[in-house]
Amino acid sequence: MIISSIAFLSLLVFSQAASPCCSNPCQNAGVCVTIGYDHYECDCTRTGYYGENCTTPQFLTWLKVTLKPTPNTVHYILTHFKGIWNIINNIPFLQNTIMGYVLTSRSHLIDSPPTYNSHYGYKSWEAYSNLSYYTRSLPPVGKDCPTPMGVKGKKELPNASMIVERFLLRRTFIPDPQGTNMMFAFFAQHFTHQFFKTDTKRGAAFTKGLGHGVDLNHVYGESLDRQHKLRLKKDGKLKYQILNGEVYPPTVKDTEVEMMYPPHVPEHLRFAVGHEVFGLVPGLMMYATIWLREHNRVCDVIAQEHPEWDDERLFQTARLILIGETIKIVIEDYVQHLSGYHFKLTFDPQLLFNQRFQYQNRIAAEFNTLYHWHPLLPDTFQINKREYNFQQFLYNNSVILEHGISQMVESFTKQIAGRVSGGRNVPAAVFRVAVASIEQSREMRYQSLNEYRKRFTLKPYESFEELTGEKEMSAELESLYGDIDAMELYPGLLVEKPRPGAIFGETMVELGAPFSLKGLMGNAICSPEYWKPSTFGGRVGFEIVNSASLQKLICSNTKDCPFTSFHVLKSKPTETATINVSSNSALEDVNPALLLKERSSEL
């Protein structure tokens, strides 16, 4: 009798401890609210659905869902029929209409204002206002749930190291079929470090960043103290030094800026830039040097236009110009390459001026996690017929001085990066980083891959074989996780079958693109109040922003203007086109369009 009573009480305690929302009963963005210990209700407000679990569509919702093509169908259309897209790209009304739809359809998938963080799985003022947290697209799995993914799968997740070894670690290098190169890989790493700044001392839920978007703190410094130490305090410029006749970052000794260098790095190679970790690899310092040169070059252009302006106004205006350049390059070069679209993406903030759009952004923890694109890295780095392994490459700024920026750009443009999705392509050198990515995801209690697919209007996978597109890995994954609805987010993104001829699978693109475009277009400079010539110092500064491209950035800041892009050439160049542009020359002296036209047959 006593034993039976104890068993009953234990069952009662368990039933009260496990939230009825653990099973994620509310569908189609419905919000689950517990009613007592064992009941719940779904808030279906403005979801377009109704019913106990928000599963019954309203008529207009049903019509929209019925007529809407799948993401893979849309992707196929955008990456085929090149002739038709060439026509559309040259008809401004059609091009702008489609681009406006791309921006709104993606950006509206991101909650603004933010809703959750890792400590608040319900709406609260703390989750909204505390900027030290990453925000969340989905609330964390409750600590009282029966399994790490809610109610599905096994009670314990498989060992993170084993997951990396068996499914993520590279056997042989798998090149990206889209031809992504190392210029892209290092740009991605350099660009995202301005807003992915996890505070490892406080935990994976927190960011050290004061801003949540593109503010170029990785160029200028996160704090005002760091910024002022990096500034020349003359003509708006940043401090620099001349080596081999070219501009390079100053040293730690000359700036007293803290950088992360191991003891063996000599003093003259301890370059000081906006982000403390950019001495890690020469590819990051290459971009840091290019943007340093660009800032000082823009200052010269603006000072010539406005000799009456003081150092502070020149600096602040140049920063706004560089933020604009960055966003334009990211959309029109970086995202354009990743998409593989024949449709031409354009950066035009005015397309959103008549839309319901909020010019603010919060970096989501899930966005930080999915951006761990370590498979991009090759096994070795090749620069001008020299080959460097990881050990030789790390903390080795001598590579920059030995080869020069032009040679590094030329070499990284030619070297292909790895495919990200599809599994088994993470280099052994970053094994521990991949393990940490999984462990941090578990610390954050992310919901399953399928829950995120549903959150971003994708059909959940019904089997591991559907996820991976093959039989071997899918069988192993099923034995470890037990249920496709228990598949973790980060490993799931990396083992997902890639789209045909693409670097990513469907989920990576459909989750990543909304975060990316909302973060870019939600920037203050894209607002009606800021997006005007006067913000950027007048017509000349506005033109610098509106004409920015990766090729122009390189041509404006290297001596011999090497051809560059975010993908490797399909054939060897048969002609050489050289445009000499000094690091201080105005944009009017550069015509990268001519260079691209001359080499278009090589792409």
Side-chain angles (χ1 to χ4, degrees), residues 122-135:
Y122 50 89
K123 292 183 181 71
S124 67
W125 191 255
E126 182 71 8
Y128 162 73
S129 64
N130 192 335
L131 298 181
S132 66
Y133 282 97
Y134 288 115
T135 188

Side-chain angles (χ1 to χ4, degrees), residues 226-237:
R226 188 178 186 92
Q227 178 195 119
H228 285 297
K229 287 178 179 179
L230 290 170
R231 286 174 60 176
L232 188 62
K233 298 299 180 67
K234 182 182 178 182
D235 301 327
K237 293 185 176 181

Side-chain angles (χ1 to χ4, degrees), residues 9 49 114 170 213 230 248 288 342 404 416 545 551 589:
L9 289 172
Y49 292 83
R170 177 175 293 160
L230 290 170
Y248 286 93
H342 293 311
I416 197 165
V545 174
Q551 182 68 71
D589 297 330

